[in-house]
Amino acid sequence: MKKDSRLSSVLHALLHMAERGEPLTSDELALCMRTNPVVVRRTMGFLRDAGIVSSARGHAGGWAITADLKTVTLRQLHETLGEPAIFAIGNRQEMPECLVEQAVNAALDTAFAEAEALLLERFAHVTLADLAEDFARRHRLRSQ
Amino acid sequence: MKKDSRLSSVLHALLHMAERGEPLTSDELALCMRTNPVVVRRTMGFLRDAGIVSSARGHAGGWAITADLKTVTLRQLHETLGEPAIFAIGNRQEMPECLVEQAVNAALDTAFAEAEALLLERFAHVTLADLAEDFARRHRLRSQ
DNA sequence: TTTTCATGTAACTTCAATTATTACGAATCG
DNA sequence: CGATTCGTAATAATTGAAGTTACATGAAAA
């Protein structure tokens, strides 16, 4: 299965947008992310619907952040993208009659639920501002 | 991404094998797991190579557990299957030059690493014997 | 107003990974 | 020998993300 990299993608795009003051076009974002402008529009469309970014057509159009960097968390972005499946491992059959399989599912479900809860809890405590700060730190380090 | 259900599959197979004393053929396992006998052989082959089960050809052949149920953990089975990818979400690019993307990857990697550690820790504390006991409990409950 | 720029979106293809299927070889037991 | 059963190669089906093509729509500049 191919991994879903949309969260990674939008984070990359958002930080570039934050760094630059003016709107970035889909083509510019696609170029810096080595992907396709249509993919950028499709993915960023979710964020627009959630009010995190704005898009404008025509001259001087493009994408810009409207939300406060300190209020946007990784968890919110994950939800905005439709809460895609986190795990690449799952049960063979979700609603089995077989008692053996019910016992197996119960054990796996418990473990995965705990891991998911931890992940989402971590996601909830990382904001765009945190990432921007970490980027600035890396930038200072390399500039020395 | 299609989810990997081999761990769930082998657990189902192992518990059925534990319940029955004599060897089960690939066709029998495939029937009870609603899959294909070739898939059973391919997946159970990993467990045979790890010494968890044995396989025998010809009449009265098939698959049987050789390991002690109390010593086989979910984590060991996960490793035996080749440690398949746990997450369906990943970085857009693994080794980026872009400092923005490095900051993004670092944040996501940290969160995923913590969740993975928790999951594997839980897996390490669940044995086949635990699952067999849970199955027996469910069986008693339904028989009442 | 016409041209140009940019998003919006549908339709389709490509890609990656698991799972399913077909086919046949090899070993074992009666 | 012959039926049974695993071993394995080769290939197709499946699933969802990502990439591509094509064109409509709207906004600003010329």
Side-chain angles (χ1 to χ4, degrees):
Chain A
M1 167 204 335
K2 192 180 239 177
K3 285 193 175 186
D4 183 336
S5 61
R6 287 178 299 168
L7 180 58
S8 167
S9 288
V10 300
L11 287 171
H12 192 175
L14 287 167
L15 291 190
H16 274 296
M17 289 159 60
E19 205 186 354
R20 176 104 69 103
E22 55 195 2
L24 280 157
T25 67
S26 303
D27 284 64
E28 288 170 321
L29 287 173
L31 208 66
C32 104
M33 295 165 67
R34 292 183 195 160
T35 179
N36 194 289
V38 177
V39 174
V40 171
R41 285 182 207 124
R42 193 157 53 205
T43 312
M44 296 297 287
F46 288 100
L47 307 200
R48 180 193 52 230
D49 297 344
I52 298 170
V53 302
S54 66
S55 63
R57 300 199 244 204
H59 285 270
W63 300 88
I65 300 187
T66 53
D68 181 348
L69 296 190
K70 288 194 291 291
T71 68
V72 181
T73 64
L74 299 194
R75 175 157 190 175
Q76 181 188 353
L77 291 171
H78 172 68
E79 286 170 2
T80 298
L81 292 174
E83 303 193 39
I86 290 175
F87 297 106
I89 297 179
N91 295 327
R92 205 180 49 76
Q93 197 183 346
E94 275 317 322
M95 296 294 292
E97 288 185 29
C98 176
L99 286 182
V100 166
E101 186 135 35
Q102 286 179 21
V104 170
N105 283 6
L108 292 178
D109 288 349
T110 300
F112 281 118
E114 288 183 30
E116 174 167 340
L118 176 63
L119 184 73
L120 293 180
E121 198 270 335
R122 290 289 182 272
F123 275 7
H125 286 90
V126 180
T127 67
L128 287 182
D130 296 330
L131 293 187
E133 188 179 337
D134 185 40
F135 160 69
R137 188 181 58 77
R138 289 169 189 269
H139 194 64
R140 283 195 306 274
L141 280 175
R142 195 167 70 173
S143 300
Q144 282 176 352
Chain B
M1 179 190 280
K2 191 179 239 178
K3 288 194 173 185
D4 183 336
S5 62
R6 287 177 301 166
L7 180 57
S8 166
S9 288
V10 299
L11 287 172
H12 191 175
L14 288 168
L15 291 191
H16 274 296
M17 288 158 62
E19 205 187 354
R20 176 106 67 106
E22 55 197 1
L24 279 157
T25 67
S26 303
D27 283 66
E28 287 171 322
L29 286 173
L31 208 67
C32 104
M33 296 165 65
R34 291 181 195 161
T35 179
N36 193 290
V38 177
V39 174
V40 171
R41 285 183 207 123
R42 193 158 49 208
T43 312
M44 296 297 286
F46 289 98
L47 307 200
R48 179 193 53 228
D49 296 345
I52 299 171
V53 302
S54 65
S55 63
R57 300 199 243 207
H59 286 271
W63 302 87
I65 300 187
T66 53
D68 181 349
L69 295 191
K70 287 194 290 293
T71 70
V72 179
T73 65
L74 299 195
R75 174 156 191 177
Q76 182 187 354
L77 291 171
H78 171 69
E79 286 169 2
T80 297
L81 291 173
E83 303 193 39
I86 291 176
F87 297 105
I89 296 178
N91 295 330
R92 204 180 48 76
Q93 198 183 344
E94 275 317 321
M95 296 296 292
E97 287 183 31
C98 176
L99 286 181
V100 166
E101 186 136 36
Q102 285 179 21
V104 170
N105 283 6
L108 292 179
D109 288 349
T110 300
F112 282 119
E114 288 184 28
E116 174 167 339
L118 176 63
L119 184 72
L120 292 181
E121 198 269 334
R122 290 288 183 274
F123 274 8
H125 286 91
V126 180
T127 66
L128 286 181
D130 295 330
L131 294 186
E133 188 180 337
D134 185 41
F135 160 68
R137 188 182 57 77
R138 289 169 190 269
H139 194 65
R140 283 196 304 275
L141 280 174
R142 194 168 72 174
S143 300
Q144 282 176 352

